[in-house]
Amino acid sequence: MKRTISILLLAFALALTASAQTARFVGESLVISDGGHRIRLPDIIQQHPIARCVHAVRKRQADYYVLFGASEWSRGYPPRNGNCGAGVESHITWLHVRDGKVLDRKVALYESCFTNRDGWALGWHGSLFTVETEDLVEDSARADKAAVWQTLKWTFDVRRPDAAFTEEQKEHTNP
């Protein structure tokens, strides 16, 4: 009897695991797996990325919502000489996918050589994933004026994957 119950519980656990959604990168393509069903989204990121990570994938009826981060060379691969030749562009991207097609995409650039952004992923805190950066709004040429900066923060709530991520801006000066 115990053995039969154990086998049934194992079969039930495997059935639950088999139906879970996952996503991973294969080269520059993103592959979403849902049980035996696979969706391949080609050329989602640049060739030869520096880093890439799927943070969340959720399914709501026929729709999939994916949140991923990627860091890529500012001027493509291989890194080049000149302005931002070996610079890095890092972004967090939210995708809305249905029937194997990207219906909507939102991108937040939190690290950039071109725009002089220096940001970081704050990571998961409960159901929220947050990324933040500092951005120079206005540089002062005069010594008596302080530069104006803004803090940009993007937050994704895994409980509401269809809402994409929210953006928050706060201006400040550094003394």
Side-chain angles (χ1 to χ4, degrees):
M1 179 72 170
K2 284 185 180 181
R3 184 172 183 189
T4 304
I5 292 173
S6 296
I7 290 172
L8 288 173
L9 287 174
L10 178 62
F12 180 72
L14 290 174
L16 286 177
T17 304
S19 66
Q21 301 83 42
T22 62
R24 66 184 177 97
F25 283 99
V26 177
E28 295 81 39
S29 298
L30 181 67
V31 178
I32 301 170
S33 299
D34 187 5
H37 184 64
R38 303 250 185 289
I39 300 169
R40 185 181 183 97
L41 303 171
D43 304 320
I44 290 293
I45 57 174
Q46 280 184 14
Q47 290 182 335
H48 307 287
I50 299 166
R52 60 194 179 209
C53 179
V54 175
H55 296 289
V57 59
R58 290 292 184 264
K59 183 178 182 183
R60 297 290 187 263
Q61 286 114 21
D63 297 331
Y64 294 91
Y65 302 95
V66 182
L67 183 73
F68 70 87
S71 294
E72 302 159 336
W73 297 109
S74 295
R75 294 180 56 203
Y77 184 84
R80 298 173 176 91
N81 293 328
N83 181 37
C84 292
V88 175
E89 308 296 306
S90 298
H91 55 87
I92 195 81
T93 301
W94 170 88
L95 300 175
H96 176 193
V97 178
R98 183 186 304 148
D99 297 328
K101 294 181 176 77
V102 176
L103 298 180
D104 197 6
R105 174 192 303 240
K106 295 195 185 319
V107 178
L109 185 66
Y110 65 90
E111 182 178 18
S112 173
C113 180
F114 290 126
T115 61
N116 198 25
R117 284 188 178 175
D118 189 18
W120 48 92
L122 298 175
W124 287 99
H125 298 285
S127 67
L128 303 177
F129 184 83
T130 307
V131 175
E132 191 173 283
T133 192
E134 294 289 318
D135 192 24
L136 182 63
V137 176
E138 183 180 316
D139 198 3
S140 174
R142 296 188 346 227
D144 62 334
K145 286 184 73 182
V148 178
W149 290 82
Q150 68 179 343
T151 300
L152 298 168
K153 182 193 262 185
W154 296 276
T155 304
F156 171 78
D157 188 345
V158 76
R159 296 172 299 183
R160 297 207 49 237
D162 55 320
F165 46 74
T166 59
E167 181 176 315
E168 183 181 326
Q169 298 179 6
K170 291 183 185 173
E171 286 194 2
H172 58 90
T173 57
N174 288 343

